[in-house]
Amino acid sequence: MEIEIATIGGYEEVGRQMTAVRAGDDVVIFDMGLNLSQVLIHDNVETERMHSLDLIDMGAIPDDRVMSDLEGDVKAIVPTHGHLDHIGAISKLAHRYDAPIVASPFTIELVKQQIEGEQKFGVENDLVKMEAGETMSIGDRNELEFVNVTHSIIDAINPVLHTPEGAIVYGLDKRMDHTPVIGDPIDMERFREIGREGNGVLCYIEDCTNASKKGRTPSEKVAREHLRDVLYSVEDYDGGIVATTFSSHIARVKSLVEFADDIGRQPVLLGRSMEKYSGTAERLDFIDFPSDLGMFGHRKSVDRTFKRIMNEGKENYLPIVTGHQGEPRAMLTRMARGETPYELDDGDKVVFSARVIPEPTNEGQRYQAEKLLGMQGARVYDDIHVSGHLNQEGHYEMLDALQPQHVIPAHQDMSGFSSYVNLCESEGYKMGRDLHVTRNGNLIQLVD
Ligand SMILES: [Zn+2]
């Protein structure tokens, strides 16, 4: 059976991930993401109204024109998890394919919300839920399997396409977490089985984000204990404490909510995306928040909540807000600019349970937000976080478990691939033979 891989997006950047695998006549698309930085760099761009081709030209969504060179029928579009760089282009591109979108329950719900928010294209692809550990036939001879992985968002999976020539494992995005705060540990046992059974692994496509970092990415449990240490240490403070984190990081939000309660403060989630992700996770029973936990997204209800906090005393509350990257329109930045009824005083604590995404725009915005907070007297606790991506030893373990015949580095630009290439070459792979460093818009023929 002919096996071909189309590297469509995310091979020159972190963002707009999209890869297609053709096995005989069947094609499966993995991820269809948005490159947010290419959108945000233009002021006032309303992507909701833009045409696909214009979005492709600005580098915001994957350039899927290479798909016309793949001779087969798309049977499924499979996003791995709910981060926007993996699902954000579904509402702009999926309507071009007559295929269902197959994803884990939390991811499907986020995809549904994306599609509902889209104003230009009527995306009507079927939405099919599939849990980790389940499989689905793709055509007559191939099978799709979801393997449970751990990442900075719940319900993440790595899809595996089993073909007569061997398995294609799509490895974006994960860390090896044996003690995640929500959900099951990564299913390394299954990865090891897949590496041994049948024809083994024909190809592994890997997320190289942290390939230059030595050692192992710590578990979410480590970030949780770090957060506990910080919040317990300010238990006796009788002023304002504010926390911020990735709103899609439900495990972290859970820890913040629990520790707020432990130190005698009522947690409250503020900001549109806080309400969106936590509300969705609760509705789907991934988490059981205290019944009196407030979640407010709309400007008016947020301001009303801030007024209530100011009236009843800041020392009774712990607002958990958006804005960990200093995004200009996010809640924490508005608070820092004094645009909300919440007043910061000398000595108030601001807890960033996040790391600055190393990109000049983020670094600049975050610097500004911290400066503004400091000008109001706030004390900043930074970097209470663990990454969602594998470091070097995790990458080594995956290669060891899967023993893939071919490897394709992804989810980075060329300089980001280099450490992973070095690791693979030290494991006996060779560039141009079985290690395929590539760019967006290429086809790699693995079996002809
Ligand atoms: Zn991700």
Side-chain angles (χ1 to χ4, degrees):
M1 181 184 278
E2 283 186 35
I3 309 280
E4 206 172 11
I5 315 270
T7 58
I8 302 163
Y11 293 84
E12 297 176 16
E13 66 268 289
V14 177
R16 60 166 179 169
Q17 321 301 334
M18 181 169 167
T19 300
V21 177
R22 177 173 77 83
D25 296 327
D26 304 323
V27 176
V28 175
I29 292 173
F30 296 124
D31 287 332
M32 212 176 243
L34 183 69
N35 189 359
L36 254 189
S37 61
Q38 288 304 103
V39 177
L40 296 175
I41 207 161
H42 304 278
D43 226 14
N44 297 322
V45 167
E46 289 189 50
T47 55
E48 289 82 3
R49 293 193 167 77
M50 283 178 70
H51 193 270
S52 304
L53 284 177
D54 296 327
L55 287 163
I56 287 173
D57 285 341
M58 73 191 263
I61 63 174
D63 184 350
D64 67 343
R65 283 171 282 195
V66 64
M67 285 297 289
S68 56
D69 298 333
L70 270 190
E71 286 174 20
D73 293 328
V74 176
K75 293 287 167 64
I77 298 168
V78 182
T80 51
H81 61 284
H83 282 151
L84 282 178
D85 57 329
H86 297 255
I87 66 167
I90 288 177
S91 59
K92 319 273 181 201
L93 287 180
H95 62 285
R96 301 208 223 177
Y97 303 97
D98 182 17
I101 295 156
V102 183
S104 66
F106 187 66
T107 309
I108 276 287
E109 185 58 30
L110 295 177
V111 167
K112 197 170 138 205
Q113 291 173 14
Q114 280 277 316
I115 291 172
E116 283 166 358
E118 175 64 46
Q119 294 168 22
K120 193 166 172 65
F121 311 106
V123 174
E124 288 177 344
N125 307 55
D126 285 341
L127 302 180
V128 178
K129 280 181 217 162
M130 188 160 118
E131 307 254 3
E134 293 183 345
T135 59
M136 169 187 280
S137 298
I138 299 289
D140 296 334
R141 301 180 65 196
N142 303 305
E143 189 175 61
L144 177 69
E145 174 183 0
F146 281 3
V147 179
N148 188 60
V149 299
T150 39
H151 187 40
S152 43
I153 188 167
I154 51 174
D155 220 13
I157 53 94
N158 273 177
V160 178
L161 186 67
H162 296 278
T163 79
E165 306 288 341
I168 315 286
V169 181
Y170 183 75
L172 282 55
D173 299 356
K174 62 177 170 298
R175 76 163 159 253
M176 244 168 239
D177 202 331
H178 303 290
T179 50
V181 170
I182 298 179
D184 292 327
I186 186 170
D187 194 353
M188 287 307 294
E189 200 182 319
R190 183 62 193 134
F191 280 127
R192 279 190 287 269
E193 275 171 15
I194 291 170
R196 287 192 302 262
E197 69 190 16
N199 285 333
V201 174
L202 175 65
C203 183
Y204 182 44
I205 300 160
E206 177 60 308
D207 149 25
C208 297
T209 308
N210 282 348
S212 64
K213 296 194 176 135
K214 287 184 191 169
R216 156 186 163 72
T217 313
S219 164
E220 178 61 22
K221 190 179 164 190
V222 173
R224 180 175 164 88
E225 287 312 310
H226 189 182
L227 197 52
R228 187 200 304 270
D229 175 59
V230 168
L231 287 177
Y232 281 26
S233 78
V234 292
E235 179 164 13
D236 293 333
Y237 182 65
D238 60 0
I241 304 177
V242 179
T244 182
T245 189
F246 299 87
S247 44
S248 60
H249 202 325
I250 306 300
R252 196 67 57 76
V253 173
K254 172 183 154 79
S255 296
L256 280 164
V257 165
E258 288 174 6
F259 299 149
D261 187 58
D262 289 353
I263 62 168
R265 287 173 184 251
Q266 190 174 337
V268 54
L269 307 183
L270 299 173
R272 259 187 325 177
S273 54
M274 274 294 163
E275 184 192 32
K276 170 190 153 109
Y277 289 103
S278 285
T280 303
E282 190 172 42
R283 263 199 317 284
L284 298 185
D285 280 332
F286 280 94
I287 186 162
D288 191 13
F289 284 123
S291 55
D292 60 346
L293 177 68
M295 295 183 202
F296 304 101
H298 290 289
R299 183 71 62 96
K300 272 188 190 152
S301 50
V302 169
D303 282 356
R304 217 180 301 131
T305 307
F306 277 140
K307 277 185 195 141
R308 197 177 74 226
I309 292 173
M310 292 307 291
N311 285 336
E312 294 176 10
K314 287 191 293 183
E315 69 279 10
N316 300 313
Y317 288 90
L318 195 146
I320 300 162
V321 303
T322 55
H324 54 90
Q325 299 294 312
E327 304 92 323
R329 281 183 282 269
M331 195 58 58
L332 186 62
T333 317
R334 289 184 54 222
M335 293 167 84
R337 282 199 234 103
E339 290 173 8
T340 74
Y342 190 99
E343 287 162 32
L344 287 158
D345 292 308
D346 270 354
D348 280 359
K349 321 295 178 201
V350 178
V351 176
F352 284 88
S353 195
R355 190 168 294 145
V356 189
I357 295 166
E359 199 190 79
T361 311
N362 286 313
E363 283 160 350
Q365 287 175 349
R366 171 68 174 268
Y367 174 82
Q368 253 182 0
E370 276 186 49
K371 269 278 178 227
L372 287 165
L373 290 166
M375 283 155 71
Q376 305 208 41
R379 308 306 305 170
V380 168
Y381 294 75
D382 195 7
D383 245 10
I384 304 159
H385 189 60
V386 295
S387 170
H389 302 270
L390 293 175
N391 285 5
Q392 266 171 27
E393 295 317 306
H395 285 301
Y396 173 85
E397 281 189 52
M398 282 310 298
L399 289 176
D400 188 56
L402 294 174
Q403 302 285 330
Q405 291 175 47
H406 296 267
V407 179
I408 304 178
H411 206 277
Q412 269 298 330
D413 59 13
M414 196 58 84
S415 58
F417 291 151
S418 58
S419 297
Y420 190 69
V421 167
N422 288 338
L423 172 72
C424 289
E425 292 204 322
S426 74
E427 292 307 299
Y429 294 91
K430 202 168 162 34
M431 274 244 289
R433 185 185 68 199
D434 45 16
L435 172 59
H436 308 270
V437 173
T438 184
R439 307 289 276 167
N440 292 340
N442 286 333
L443 292 177
I444 298 167
Q445 186 100 30
L446 294 178
V447 181
D448 43 37

